[in-house]
Amino acid sequence: IDNFDLRFERFGDNAQMYAFSTFFKNFSDPIELTYFLSASDQFQPRNLGSAIVYGIEFEIRKDFGFIGDAWKGLNFNINASWINSELEMGEDEYESRRLGLREGEELEDTRPLQGQSPYLVNVGLNYGNEEAGWQAGLFYNLQGETLEVVGNGDVPDAYTMPFHSLNFNMIKSFGKNLNSSFNFGIKNILDDNLETHYQAYKAEDQIFSKLSPGRAITFGYAYKF
């Protein structure tokens, strides 16, 4: 992998910062997950071609203390990336896809890199007060539709759908030297599902896999000796 990055950062008080970066990566023989040609329900890792990945990223972390003393300890952060990936298919993959073309379908010699999301978003709202023993945070994560399993012409590509992850956690410390603490958390507040779909030209998506993790609620106690 040849990797090139250019990044600008500026830092302020109370860990405040903003940053902007751009990047370019060149991959030789990336390893990807694909189907066996003779057994389309089984998979194998293979070197399927050469690829490039490039994009931009920005990050902001802002403290709300400038509003007033009551807002001290509350901060907001966001990190977002836009990413483009292009893999130049090898002869075997290109030929198998060409033989599986449907009427009216056109074939390019490039496709997205397996496992590379086209965008990523992470957002967090945090509150901390060490003297009072409070820590709390609400966190959101999203990544774009991502190629999970590379098709072979007869079997279409499988793409992981965007998963909206929203989680909350809180810790309250108390006692002498704040050695004791209670913690409370909720995962997957939006009750979203993890789904991967087969996608083919002019066809409705079909389920490749689906997981319903549900909401998870945790509650605990800890003591530091």
Side-chain angles (χ1 to χ4, degrees), residues 105-212:
E105 185 178 5
E106 296 181 356
L107 179 63
E108 298 182 355
D109 59 359
T110 61
R111 59 161 173 79
L113 179 66
Q114 185 256 328
Q116 179 60 67
S117 172
Y119 61 85
L120 299 167
V121 179
N122 295 284
V123 182
L125 187 64
N126 300 271
Y127 175 76
N129 187 325
E130 293 185 5
E131 294 182 358
W134 281 103
Q135 286 185 329
L138 183 67
F139 307 97
Y140 173 77
N141 171 266
L142 174 66
Q143 69 175 27
E145 187 175 290
T146 303
L147 178 60
E148 181 177 330
V149 185
V150 179
N152 60 17
D154 293 331
V155 180
D157 296 324
Y159 280 83
T160 301
M161 298 294 103
F163 176 74
H164 298 268
S165 174
L166 183 64
N167 307 303
F168 172 79
N169 62 64
M170 181 182 67
I171 300 175
K172 177 65 174 83
S173 301
F174 59 94
K176 185 178 180 181
N177 298 321
L178 300 178
N179 287 341
S180 295
S181 64
F182 284 112
N183 60 79
F184 171 76
I186 307 176
K187 291 185 177 181
N188 194 24
I189 295 174
L190 301 177
D191 197 23
D192 205 3
N193 295 321
L194 291 164
E195 295 187 8
T196 299
H197 293 178
Y198 286 116
Q199 292 189 346
Y201 179 71
K202 287 190 175 180
E204 291 187 7
D205 288 5
Q206 301 296 320
I207 296 293
F208 172 85
S209 67
K210 181 177 180 179
L211 175 65
S212 299

Side-chain angles (χ1 to χ4, degrees), residues 27-33 46-51 87 113-114:
F27 294 81
S28 296
D29 299 322
I31 300 173
E32 298 186 301
L33 187 64
R46 293 180 61 192
N47 302 101
L48 295 179
S50 59
L87 180 135
L113 179 66
Q114 185 256 328

Side-chain angles (χ1 to χ4, degrees), residues 17-81:
M17 61 92 71
Y18 66 85
F20 175 84
S21 61
T22 181
F23 53 87
F24 176 87
K25 304 175 189 290
N26 181 41
F27 294 81
S28 296
D29 299 322
I31 300 173
E32 298 186 301
L33 187 64
T34 187
Y35 303 95
F36 275 103
L37 289 175
S38 58
S40 58
D41 60 345
Q42 299 181 37
F43 314 106
Q44 66 177 157
R46 293 180 61 192
N47 302 101
L48 295 179
S50 59
I52 60 172
V53 173
Y54 56 90
I56 57 175
E57 177 186 13
F58 75 89
E59 182 176 1
I60 298 172
R61 186 164 59 242
K62 180 66 177 176
D63 186 276
F64 287 90
F66 68 94
I67 299 177
D69 291 341
W71 294 85
K72 287 183 177 180
L74 182 67
N75 64 80
F76 169 81
N77 63 82
I78 180 171
N79 176 280
S81 303

